[in-house]
Short mmCIF file of all heavy atoms in Angstrom, two decimals:
data_model
loop_
_atom_site.label_atom_id
_atom_site.label_comp_id
_atom_site.label_asym_id
_atom_site.label_seq_id
_atom_site.Cartn_x
_atom_site.Cartn_y
_atom_site.Cartn_z
N SER G 1 14.05 37.09 -94.14
CA SER G 1 15.01 36.20 -93.45
C SER G 1 15.73 37.00 -92.37
O SER G 1 15.97 38.17 -92.53
CB SER G 1 16.03 35.65 -94.46
OG SER G 1 16.75 36.72 -95.05
N PRO G 2 16.07 36.37 -91.25
CA PRO G 2 16.72 37.07 -90.17
C PRO G 2 18.15 37.48 -90.54
O PRO G 2 18.80 36.79 -91.31
CB PRO G 2 16.71 36.05 -89.03
CG PRO G 2 16.61 34.73 -89.69
CD PRO G 2 15.83 34.96 -90.94
N ALA G 3 18.57 38.57 -89.98
CA ALA G 3 19.95 39.01 -90.21
C ALA G 3 20.89 38.08 -89.47
O ALA G 3 20.63 37.68 -88.33
CB ALA G 3 20.11 40.45 -89.73
N SER G 4 21.97 37.75 -90.08
CA SER G 4 22.90 36.83 -89.45
C SER G 4 24.22 37.52 -89.09
O SER G 4 25.16 36.83 -88.64
CB SER G 4 23.17 35.64 -90.38
OG SER G 4 23.73 36.11 -91.58
N ALA G 5 24.32 38.80 -89.31
CA ALA G 5 25.57 39.50 -88.98
C ALA G 5 25.71 39.65 -87.47
O ALA G 5 24.77 39.91 -86.76
CB ALA G 5 25.56 40.85 -89.65
N ALA G 6 26.91 39.46 -87.01
CA ALA G 6 27.22 39.61 -85.57
C ALA G 6 27.80 41.00 -85.33
O ALA G 6 28.41 41.60 -86.23
CB ALA G 6 28.21 38.55 -85.15
N LEU G 7 27.60 41.50 -84.15
CA LEU G 7 28.15 42.78 -83.78
C LEU G 7 29.67 42.64 -83.61
O LEU G 7 30.14 41.83 -82.81
CB LEU G 7 27.52 43.26 -82.47
CG LEU G 7 28.04 44.56 -81.91
CD1 LEU G 7 27.73 45.71 -82.84
CD2 LEU G 7 27.40 44.82 -80.55
N THR G 8 30.42 43.41 -84.38
CA THR G 8 31.86 43.38 -84.25
C THR G 8 32.27 44.13 -83.00
O THR G 8 31.62 45.07 -82.58
CB THR G 8 32.57 43.98 -85.47
OG1 THR G 8 32.12 45.33 -85.62
CG2 THR G 8 32.26 43.19 -86.73
N GLU G 9 33.35 43.69 -82.37
CA GLU G 9 33.89 44.29 -81.17
C GLU G 9 32.94 44.23 -79.96
O GLU G 9 32.99 45.08 -79.07
CB GLU G 9 34.31 45.75 -81.45
CG GLU G 9 35.37 45.90 -82.49
CD GLU G 9 36.69 45.28 -82.11
OE1 GLU G 9 37.11 45.37 -80.95
OE2 GLU G 9 37.32 44.67 -83.00
N ALA G 10 32.07 43.25 -79.94
CA ALA G 10 31.07 43.14 -78.87
C ALA G 10 31.69 43.09 -77.47
O ALA G 10 31.21 43.77 -76.58
CB ALA G 10 30.19 41.92 -79.13
N PRO G 11 32.78 42.33 -77.27
CA PRO G 11 33.35 42.32 -75.90
C PRO G 11 33.86 43.71 -75.49
O PRO G 11 33.70 44.10 -74.32
CB PRO G 11 34.52 41.34 -76.01
CG PRO G 11 34.15 40.43 -77.17
CD PRO G 11 33.41 41.34 -78.12
N ARG G 12 34.47 44.44 -76.39
CA ARG G 12 34.96 45.77 -76.06
C ARG G 12 33.78 46.73 -75.76
O ARG G 12 33.85 47.54 -74.83
CB ARG G 12 35.83 46.33 -77.18
CG ARG G 12 37.15 45.60 -77.29
CD ARG G 12 37.93 46.03 -78.49
NE ARG G 12 38.63 47.29 -78.20
CZ ARG G 12 39.43 47.88 -79.07
NH1 ARG G 12 39.64 47.34 -80.25
NH2 ARG G 12 40.03 49.00 -78.75
N LEU G 13 32.73 46.63 -76.56
CA LEU G 13 31.58 47.48 -76.31
C LEU G 13 30.88 47.13 -75.02
O LEU G 13 30.41 48.02 -74.30
CB LEU G 13 30.61 47.39 -77.52
CG LEU G 13 31.16 47.96 -78.85
CD1 LEU G 13 30.18 47.67 -79.96
CD2 LEU G 13 31.48 49.42 -78.74
N ALA G 14 30.84 45.86 -74.69
CA ALA G 14 30.26 45.43 -73.40
C ALA G 14 31.06 45.98 -72.25
O ALA G 14 30.51 46.39 -71.22
CB ALA G 14 30.15 43.92 -73.35
N ALA G 15 32.39 46.01 -72.41
CA ALA G 15 33.24 46.55 -71.35
C ALA G 15 32.99 48.07 -71.18
O ALA G 15 32.97 48.57 -70.04
CB ALA G 15 34.70 46.30 -71.69
N VAL G 16 32.77 48.76 -72.28
CA VAL G 16 32.43 50.20 -72.19
C VAL G 16 31.13 50.38 -71.45
O VAL G 16 31.02 51.24 -70.57
CB VAL G 16 32.35 50.82 -73.61
CG1 VAL G 16 31.84 52.26 -73.54
CG2 VAL G 16 33.69 50.78 -74.31
N TYR G 17 30.14 49.55 -71.76
CA TYR G 17 28.84 49.66 -71.12
C TYR G 17 28.96 49.39 -69.60
O TYR G 17 28.41 50.15 -68.79
CB TYR G 17 27.88 48.66 -71.73
CG TYR G 17 26.45 48.78 -71.27
CD1 TYR G 17 25.71 49.92 -71.57
CD2 TYR G 17 25.86 47.78 -70.50
CE1 TYR G 17 24.40 50.05 -71.10
CE2 TYR G 17 24.56 47.90 -70.07
CZ TYR G 17 23.84 49.03 -70.36
OH TYR G 17 22.54 49.16 -69.90
N ASP G 18 29.77 48.41 -69.24
CA ASP G 18 29.99 48.13 -67.81
C ASP G 18 30.65 49.32 -67.13
O ASP G 18 30.33 49.67 -65.98
CB ASP G 18 30.85 46.89 -67.64
CG ASP G 18 30.11 45.60 -67.95
OD1 ASP G 18 28.85 45.63 -67.96
OD2 ASP G 18 30.77 44.58 -68.21
N THR G 19 31.59 49.94 -67.82
CA THR G 19 32.28 51.11 -67.26
C THR G 19 31.28 52.27 -67.06
O THR G 19 31.33 52.98 -66.06
CB THR G 19 33.44 51.54 -68.18
OG1 THR G 19 34.32 50.43 -68.33
CG2 THR G 19 34.21 52.71 -67.60
N ILE G 20 30.39 52.45 -68.03
CA ILE G 20 29.37 53.49 -67.90
C ILE G 20 28.49 53.21 -66.68
O ILE G 20 28.22 54.11 -65.88
CB ILE G 20 28.54 53.59 -69.19
CG1 ILE G 20 29.37 54.12 -70.34
CG2 ILE G 20 27.28 54.47 -68.96
CD1 ILE G 20 28.72 53.98 -71.70
N LEU G 21 28.07 51.96 -66.54
CA LEU G 21 27.19 51.61 -65.40
C LEU G 21 27.91 51.75 -64.08
O LEU G 21 27.26 51.90 -63.03
CB LEU G 21 26.62 50.22 -65.61
CG LEU G 21 25.65 50.05 -66.77
CD1 LEU G 21 25.16 48.62 -66.83
CD2 LEU G 21 24.49 51.00 -66.69
N SER G 22 29.22 51.72 -64.11
CA SER G 22 30.02 51.92 -62.90
C SER G 22 30.30 53.42 -62.66
O SER G 22 31.03 53.77 -61.73
CB SER G 22 31.35 51.19 -63.01
OG SER G 22 31.14 49.80 -63.08
N ALA G 23 29.72 54.27 -63.51
CA ALA G 23 29.83 55.73 -63.41
C ALA G 23 31.29 56.22 -63.57
O ALA G 23 31.67 57.23 -63.02
CB ALA G 23 29.21 56.25 -62.12
N ARG G 24 32.07 55.50 -64.34
CA ARG G 24 33.43 55.91 -64.66
C ARG G 24 33.44 56.45 -66.09
O ARG G 24 33.93 55.85 -67.02
CB ARG G 24 34.39 54.73 -64.49
CG ARG G 24 34.46 54.23 -63.08
CD ARG G 24 35.52 53.16 -62.84
NE ARG G 24 35.61 52.20 -63.91
CZ ARG G 24 35.26 50.89 -63.80
NH1 ARG G 24 34.79 50.43 -62.66
NH2 ARG G 24 35.40 50.06 -64.80
N PHE G 25 32.83 57.65 -66.22
CA PHE G 25 32.56 58.20 -67.55
C PHE G 25 33.81 58.61 -68.30
O PHE G 25 33.85 58.46 -69.53
CB PHE G 25 31.57 59.38 -67.41
CG PHE G 25 30.30 58.97 -66.71
CD1 PHE G 25 30.00 59.47 -65.45
CD2 PHE G 25 29.43 58.07 -67.28
CE1 PHE G 25 28.85 59.10 -64.78
CE2 PHE G 25 28.27 57.69 -66.63
CZ PHE G 25 27.97 58.20 -65.38
N ASP G 26 34.81 59.11 -67.62
CA ASP G 26 36.06 59.48 -68.29
C ASP G 26 36.73 58.25 -68.88
O ASP G 26 37.22 58.28 -70.01
CB ASP G 26 37.01 60.20 -67.35
CG ASP G 26 36.49 61.59 -66.94
OD1 ASP G 26 35.67 62.16 -67.70
OD2 ASP G 26 36.92 62.08 -65.89
N GLN G 27 36.74 57.17 -68.11
CA GLN G 27 37.34 55.92 -68.58
C GLN G 27 36.52 55.36 -69.75
O GLN G 27 37.09 54.83 -70.72
CB GLN G 27 37.42 54.90 -67.47
CG GLN G 27 38.11 53.63 -67.89
CD GLN G 27 38.22 52.59 -66.76
OE1 GLN G 27 37.91 52.91 -65.59
NE2 GLN G 27 38.62 51.41 -67.08
N ALA G 28 35.19 55.48 -69.68
CA ALA G 28 34.35 55.00 -70.79
C ALA G 28 34.65 55.76 -72.07
O ALA G 28 34.69 55.18 -73.15
CB ALA G 28 32.87 55.13 -70.40
N ASP G 29 34.89 57.03 -71.96
CA ASP G 29 35.23 57.85 -73.12
C ASP G 29 36.53 57.36 -73.76
O ASP G 29 36.64 57.23 -74.98
CB ASP G 29 35.33 59.34 -72.74
CG ASP G 29 35.51 60.23 -73.94
OD1 ASP G 29 34.77 60.06 -74.93
OD2 ASP G 29 36.41 61.11 -73.88
N VAL G 30 37.53 57.07 -72.93
CA VAL G 30 38.82 56.54 -73.44
C VAL G 30 38.60 55.21 -74.12
O VAL G 30 39.10 54.96 -75.21
CB VAL G 30 39.84 56.42 -72.28
CG1 VAL G 30 41.06 55.67 -72.74
CG2 VAL G 30 40.20 57.81 -71.75
N GLN G 31 37.80 54.32 -73.48
CA GLN G 31 37.54 53.01 -74.08
C GLN G 31 36.82 53.14 -75.41
O GLN G 31 37.11 52.41 -76.36
CB GLN G 31 36.67 52.20 -73.12
CG GLN G 31 37.40 51.67 -71.91
CD GLN G 31 36.47 50.94 -70.97
OE1 GLN G 31 35.45 51.48 -70.54
NE2 GLN G 31 36.81 49.71 -70.65
N LEU G 32 35.88 54.07 -75.51
CA LEU G 32 35.15 54.28 -76.78
C LEU G 32 36.10 54.74 -77.86
O LEU G 32 36.01 54.30 -79.01
CB LEU G 32 34.03 55.28 -76.60
CG LEU G 32 32.72 54.71 -76.07
CD1 LEU G 32 31.74 55.83 -75.73
CD2 LEU G 32 32.08 53.76 -77.09
N LYS G 33 37.04 55.63 -77.51
CA LYS G 33 37.99 56.11 -78.53
C LYS G 33 38.87 54.98 -79.02
O LYS G 33 39.28 54.98 -80.18
CB LYS G 33 38.82 57.25 -77.95
CG LYS G 33 38.02 58.53 -77.79
CD LYS G 33 38.83 59.63 -77.15
CE LYS G 33 37.97 60.84 -76.96
NZ LYS G 33 38.63 61.90 -76.20
N GLN G 34 39.15 54.00 -78.16
CA GLN G 34 39.98 52.87 -78.56
C GLN G 34 39.18 51.84 -79.37
O GLN G 34 39.73 51.17 -80.26
CB GLN G 34 40.58 52.20 -77.34
CG GLN G 34 41.57 53.06 -76.60
CD GLN G 34 42.00 52.50 -75.28
OE1 GLN G 34 41.42 51.53 -74.77
NE2 GLN G 34 43.02 53.09 -74.69
N ALA G 35 37.90 51.71 -79.08
CA ALA G 35 37.08 50.70 -79.74
C ALA G 35 36.45 51.16 -81.04
O ALA G 35 36.07 50.35 -81.87
CB ALA G 35 35.98 50.22 -78.78
N CYS G 36 36.34 52.46 -81.22
CA CYS G 36 35.59 52.99 -82.38
C CYS G 36 36.50 53.83 -83.27
O CYS G 36 36.94 54.90 -82.84
CB CYS G 36 34.47 53.87 -81.87
SG CYS G 36 33.37 53.02 -80.71
N PRO G 37 36.70 53.47 -84.52
CA PRO G 37 36.52 52.15 -85.08
C PRO G 37 37.53 51.16 -84.55
O PRO G 37 38.48 51.60 -83.93
CB PRO G 37 36.70 52.38 -86.58
CG PRO G 37 37.55 53.60 -86.69
CD PRO G 37 37.34 54.38 -85.45
N PRO G 38 37.34 49.96 -84.72
CA PRO G 38 36.60 49.16 -85.71
C PRO G 38 35.16 48.83 -85.32
O PRO G 38 34.44 48.29 -86.13
CB PRO G 38 37.42 47.88 -85.85
CG PRO G 38 38.02 47.72 -84.51
CD PRO G 38 38.28 49.09 -83.98
N ALA G 39 34.76 49.14 -84.07
CA ALA G 39 33.35 48.85 -83.72
C ALA G 39 32.45 49.72 -84.59
O ALA G 39 32.82 50.81 -85.04
CB ALA G 39 33.12 49.18 -82.26
N PRO G 40 31.22 49.25 -84.85
CA PRO G 40 30.28 50.00 -85.68
C PRO G 40 29.97 51.38 -85.09
O PRO G 40 29.74 51.53 -83.88
CB PRO G 40 29.01 49.14 -85.71
CG PRO G 40 29.47 47.79 -85.29
CD PRO G 40 30.65 47.98 -84.39
N GLU G 41 29.96 52.38 -85.94
CA GLU G 41 29.73 53.75 -85.50
C GLU G 41 28.38 53.91 -84.79
O GLU G 41 28.27 54.64 -83.83
CB GLU G 41 29.83 54.73 -86.68
CG GLU G 41 29.73 56.19 -86.27
CD GLU G 41 30.77 56.61 -85.22
OE1 GLU G 41 31.89 56.07 -85.20
OE2 GLU G 41 30.46 57.48 -84.39
N GLY G 42 27.37 53.20 -85.26
CA GLY G 42 26.05 53.30 -84.63
C GLY G 42 26.08 52.83 -83.18
O GLY G 42 25.47 53.44 -82.30
#
């Protein structure tokens, strides 16, 4: 059966990804520290 769990903190993680793609790596590091946890460690 397919997994039905949703990714927690998806909007925050998507924002981190956008920041990385904008090459703002220092800001992405700050965002990751704020999002993780509660976002999944993986």
Side-chain angles (χ1 to χ4, degrees):
S1 61
S4 61
L7 177 63
T8 58
E9 299 296 320
R12 290 174 81 178
L13 294 174
V16 173
Y17 187 67
D18 288 340
T19 303
I20 292 168
L21 294 180
S22 297
R24 297 187 318 249
F25 304 112
D26 291 337
Q27 184 179 351
D29 187 47
V30 170
Q31 287 176 305
L32 275 171
K33 288 177 183 173
Q34 294 171 349
C36 306
E41 186 56 32

